[in-house]
Amino acid sequence: MTRTFPDLVDVAIVGSGPCGAAYARILSERCPSATVATFEVGPLLADPPGVHVKNIVDPAARAQAQRLSEGPAPQRDDTPTDTLEGYVDTAPRLVRPGTFLLAAGYQQPGEDGLPSVAMSSNVGGMGAHWTGACPRPGGSERITFLPDLEELLDEGGRLLAVDAHAFDDAPFADEVRKRLSAAFDDGRDDDRRVAPMPLAVVRHDDGRVTWSGADVVFGQATRSNPNFTLVPQALASEVVIDGDRATGVRVRDLRTGDEHVVRARFIVVAADALRTPQLLWASGVRPRALGRYLNDQPQTVFAVRLRDVAHVSEEQVDSRTAPEIVPQSGVSWVPYTDEEPFHGQVMQLDASPVPLADDDVPAPGSIVGLGWFCAKDLQESDRVEFDDTGSDPYGMPAMRIHYRLTERDRASIEASRAAIRRAGEALGDPLDDEPLTFAPGTSLHYQGTVRMGETDDGASVCSPTSRVWGVDGLYVAGNGVIPTAIACNPTLTSVALAVAGARDIATRLDGS
């Protein structure tokens, strides 16, 4: 951590979320003599930098960390910081603790828009707030032009500390998977059958299990690297372009307002799927596909209470107030298939997302929340545009979302609602009458806006190693790089793609 802005580095990284952290980690491991600086628009939340807020032990400090992540206009102090709050909220614009909504431009007349589109600004990015789910893509979710995708996913799993068996002994977890398997597994390939959800978590010697944030991705290799610098509250306002090459980044110190131009041999923009194309646009880097093929995952939720299970003797712990993952936090996975183009995340919640009678105390692990995510029907016309005349609260080009659900999307949403009912019926008794399909944007899994392509054919922004077409030295990272319509949680895939990009930079540094 520093407030000193370097004049010259080998690699400048914009954004400190899991993908930006992956670049820093791979470069620290492969090129420890290279100078690397990461600039983050948001503040430091806690130590180590990038820690997941759920790992902050003190409740007041945890709540403060969430407020600090909420950008230029955080929610009021009296707003809930309970992440289960709003699980069944029918508000047309659902905002979650630690995130902030796009203030304007989220919906155009006659379009569906993304009313709940949101971002986070903090060291660690959305990796400080996520659920840690790291399933692998399957079927048409996979990027077919990457022959080494499996190895990259393995490496992404190493950086994120992915564990598929962290909660095998959670109460009723086996029973949950047994019931789901009976409802869904018939006719599926082995890797598409119901399984424990691979989770980004860290098991400690004392038995605790905590969430992986960007701190885990940074790892000791980055934190102990004397040539690595992390500067929070530093807004990257422009990538400096000289001819057909990126040569530096203009950064504004948000504490003082001072501007610095940091020269760099390579620049990685790893903001998020909205702010990465925004920075490229502000820098005059405007390929046709920039901001296009924007996709969100339509999300439906349901909650049930397991039927016919005995009360367990373990002391109940409310996961909403626990500083780490609790023993009954079982998470199961119903994978995506091309025949059923959605993905199910099944979480044993330990507390009901809907009110129960005062004297009704459920057995730990017996309340199950189901979340089904659909793959989007990709359209070039679904996009984020930028305004050269208007600006957002950071002074960057204002965003305007164009987004429509197609008939195919509506059909897959209805099919996912039927599937989530089927899952609920297999597990137990519903806690509400009908599943709830959230407003577009609620998933926070935005993709495609700086998508990868096999060739520079106008339908992509970057190469298979995340190099921006036509601008030497400039790379992009994050969920926006994913070119396929995936329904599963995207972080493992985007970190895997970041690994390929970081290796490419490392090879170029070694060869210089």
Side-chain angles (χ1 to χ4, degrees), residues 391-445:
S391 60
D392 68 9
Y394 287 113
M396 297 295 287
M399 301 181 194
R400 185 168 54 250
I401 303 292
H402 287 276
Y403 198 81
R404 296 177 186 268
L405 296 174
T406 68
E407 288 306 310
R408 182 177 172 186
D409 289 326
R410 298 186 193 282
S412 67
I413 291 170
E414 283 308 307
S416 75
R417 290 176 60 84
I420 206 171
R421 287 191 201 95
R422 188 162 92 243
E425 290 165 1
L427 291 173
D429 303 315
L431 296 180
D432 213 343
D433 294 335
E434 283 291 327
L436 170 64
T437 299
F438 284 131
T442 306
S443 79
L444 307 177
H445 295 167

Side-chain angles (χ1 to χ4, degrees), residues 304-389:
V304 301
R305 187 176 195 159
L306 290 176
R307 72 169 71 90
D308 302 326
V309 293
H311 192 90
V312 293
S313 59
E314 296 179 50
E315 180 181 355
Q316 184 172 359
V317 181
D318 188 338
S319 64
R320 294 177 294 179
T321 58
E324 65 268 331
I325 301 169
V326 295
Q328 52 266 24
S329 300
V331 186
S332 300
W333 174 34
V334 181
Y336 167 97
T337 67
D338 289 339
E339 294 72 29
E340 293 190 285
F342 30 81
H343 142 96
Q345 183 172 328
V346 181
M347 305 180 70
Q348 293 170 250
L349 296 174
D350 314 306
S352 177
V354 298
L356 299 175
D358 290 342
D359 59 351
D360 188 355
V361 181
S366 65
I367 300 296
V368 182
L370 301 98
W372 253 239
F373 299 84
C374 296
K376 179 72 172 71
D377 182 16
L378 296 186
Q379 305 292 316
E380 185 187 34
S381 56
D382 292 330
R383 64 197 186 278
V384 52
E385 294 181 337
F386 304 101
D387 190 341
D388 280 328
T389 60

Side-chain angles (χ1 to χ4, degrees), residues 121-139:
S121 288
N122 53 270
V123 172
M126 201 67 80
H129 311 282
W130 68 318
T131 64
C134 286
R136 293 198 177 206

